[in-house]
């Protein structure tokens, strides 16, 4: 969904999952927009004209394009263009410093991949995309693997590490240097979101993040809200609540312990924020989900 600021949201669905893959039988035109999640588009049939940060790409069947967080892009398909579209929260790759650091570098180098120019790498990535798709399809049919989230995470990591390992082997037309553009603020916000996702149990403050980004508190706050469509306090609270809801699924976890393990300073604060965003108390949430 694209809001009035051309910001597209990837809504978490089903137990807070943050990976979505879909088969699109007929791609619709999409005006310029941006988002904080990573996007991989595999063109099955037809043609796509995609503009990414001012750089035009004409893609046909057997091409894959990678769109990084915060990149302004538009999509213009021909009739009956078919694609497979993967969208995922990049923070799931930021838990390991080596991956996080390399991911920021590779985003500036690899944009497209062709089955004709690098067939082995293409086929490997294509197979992983279908694995993610099949995993999600099985889950939607209520035949899910109990370790769905783990397998999903592993497949995304495999895709990333495959690109990392093949970076130096890619031919020059594929290893395309993308022009450096003034996106420092956007990158700083992305890094801040990644930091929050890894450290939400700590006592994180807006002032600390602004200092890490080299910005004033007021400028950072304005940029954060502009790029995430959420203020800092709400973003942090929802990260903590996502963890709390996972812990509530285990009936052996005491609610007081869950509050502190999720980064809330007190049980009263946890109850108040849980009620504000979930519309019920943690106890009622646990009962609703049949955890006795």
């Amino acid at each position: 969904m694209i809001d009035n600021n051309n910001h597209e949201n990837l809504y978490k669905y089903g137990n807070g999952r943050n990976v979505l893959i879909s088969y699109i039988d007929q791609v619709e035109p999409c005006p310029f927009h941006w988002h904080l999640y990573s996007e991989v588009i595999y063109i099955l049939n037809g043609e796509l004209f995609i503009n990414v940060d001012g750089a035009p790409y004409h893609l046909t069947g057997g091409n894959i394009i990678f769109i990084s967080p915060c990149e302004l892009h538009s999509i213009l398909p021909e009739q009956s263009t078919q694609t497979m579209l993967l969208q995922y929260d990049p923070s799931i790759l930021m838990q390991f410093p080596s991956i996080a650091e390399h991911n920021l570098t590779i985003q500036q180098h690899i944009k497209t991949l062709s089955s004709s120019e690098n067939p082995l790498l293409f086929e490997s990535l294509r197979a992983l995309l279908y694995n993610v798709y099949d995993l999600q399809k099985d889950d939607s049919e209520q035949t899910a693997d109990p370790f769905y989230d783990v397998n999903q995470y592993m497949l995304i990591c495999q895709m990333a590490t495959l690109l990392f390992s093949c970076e130096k082997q890619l031919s020059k037309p594929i290893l395309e240097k993308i022009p450096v553009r003034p996106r420092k603020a956007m990158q700083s916000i992305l890094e801040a979101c990644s930091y929050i996702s890894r450290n939400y149990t700590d006592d994180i403050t807006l002032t600390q993040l602004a200092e890490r980004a080299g910005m004033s508190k007021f400028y950072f706050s304005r940029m954060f809200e502009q790029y995430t469509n959420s203020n800092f306090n709400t973003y942090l609270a929802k990260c903590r609540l996502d963890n709390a809801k996972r812990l509530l699924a285990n009936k052996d976890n005491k609610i007081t312990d869950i509050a502190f393990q999720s980064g809330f300073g007190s049980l009263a604060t946890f109850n108040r924020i849980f009620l504000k965003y979930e519309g019920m108390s943690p106890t009622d949430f646990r009962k609703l989900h049949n955890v006795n």
Side-chain angles (χ1 to χ4, degrees):
M1 180 178 293
I2 303 175
D3 62 21
N4 294 331
N5 296 316
N6 297 325
H7 172 264
E8 186 177 31
N9 297 307
L10 174 61
Y11 290 102
K12 295 183 179 181
Y13 63 100
N15 298 324
R17 292 169 187 150
N18 50 8
V19 176
L20 178 65
I21 188 167
S22 54
Y23 173 83
I24 304 176
D25 188 55
Q26 187 167 341
V27 180
E28 298 291 333
C30 189
F32 277 105
H33 64 288
W34 63 273
H35 40 66
L36 283 169
Y37 56 83
S38 297
E39 193 167 70
V40 181
I41 305 175
Y42 167 35
I43 295 84
L44 301 169
N45 295 294
E47 296 180 78
L48 277 184
F49 296 89
I50 301 182
N51 190 298
V52 183
D53 271 357
Y57 297 89
H58 176 208
L59 304 172
T60 58
N63 281 264
I64 294 175
I65 186 167
F66 306 91
I67 299 175
S68 302
C70 301
E71 287 188 321
L72 190 67
H73 59 284
S74 65
I75 300 175
L76 181 63
E78 286 202 341
Q79 290 184 346
S80 302
T81 298
Q82 298 174 319
T83 67
M84 182 172 287
L85 176 66
L86 171 66
Q87 301 166 322
Y88 63 91
D89 182 348
S91 67
I92 64 179
L93 294 173
M94 300 296 185
Q95 300 181 45
F96 305 99
S98 57
I99 291 183
E101 181 179 355
H102 201 102
N103 192 49
L104 297 176
T105 302
I106 207 168
Q107 286 175 3
Q108 295 184 343
H109 289 75
I110 299 178
K111 292 308 295 181
T112 62
L113 188 64
S114 168
S115 59
S116 60
E117 293 176 329
N118 202 292
L120 293 179
L121 177 57
F122 178 88
E123 285 303 321
S124 296
L125 283 170
R126 177 180 175 277
L128 287 170
L129 283 171
Y130 274 102
N131 286 340
V132 178
Y133 181 78
D134 290 340
L135 184 67
Q136 181 175 292
K137 182 180 178 182
D138 289 343
D139 182 67
S140 65
E141 295 175 352
Q142 298 183 343
T143 58
D145 186 319
F147 299 101
Y148 173 96
D149 54 345
V150 176
N151 288 323
Q152 188 182 67
Y153 169 77
M154 289 174 62
L155 288 169
I156 297 298
C157 287
Q158 285 182 56
M159 292 181 62
T161 53
L162 182 62
L163 285 173
F164 299 160
S165 63
C166 294
E167 180 184 2
K168 294 182 180 179
Q169 303 172 21
L170 294 175
S171 60
K172 190 173 181 180
I174 300 174
L175 189 57
E176 181 176 355
K177 180 63 178 179
I178 305 304
V180 177
R181 292 183 172 84
R183 296 192 295 146
K184 182 178 179 181
M186 290 186 286
Q187 189 61 59
S188 295
I189 298 305
L190 176 61
E191 292 173 358
C193 291
S194 176
Y195 181 84
I196 293 172
S197 70
R198 300 193 309 270
N199 300 280
Y200 58 83
T201 59
D202 296 340
D203 185 19
I204 304 174
T205 67
L206 181 64
T207 301
Q208 291 172 341
L209 289 181
E211 290 176 353
R212 286 175 59 88
M215 302 178 185
S216 72
K217 176 181 176 180
F218 300 103
Y219 180 70
F220 178 84
S221 178
R222 182 158 58 91
M223 291 296 99
F224 190 94
E225 187 162 354
Q226 177 181 340
Y227 291 132
T228 66
N229 207 33
S230 171
N231 63 47
F232 164 74
N233 288 329
T234 298
Y235 192 95
L236 177 60
K238 288 185 175 180
C239 285
R240 290 171 171 171
L241 287 174
D242 283 344
N243 183 67
K245 287 186 287 185
R246 288 193 292 270
L247 294 176
L248 282 167
N250 186 339
K251 65 180 180 180
D252 294 328
N253 291 330
K254 296 181 180 180
I255 291 180
T256 300
D257 293 337
I258 291 173
F260 289 104
Q261 290 172 17
S262 299
F264 295 98
S266 67
L267 179 60
T269 299
F270 176 51
N271 287 329
R272 175 175 55 81
I273 293 179
F274 202 101
L275 178 63
K276 177 180 178 180
Y277 291 105
E278 301 299 327
M280 64 184 75
S281 69
T283 301
D284 289 339
F285 180 90
R286 173 172 272 177
K287 290 179 181 177
L288 181 65
H289 290 78
N290 299 317
V291 180
N292 299 314

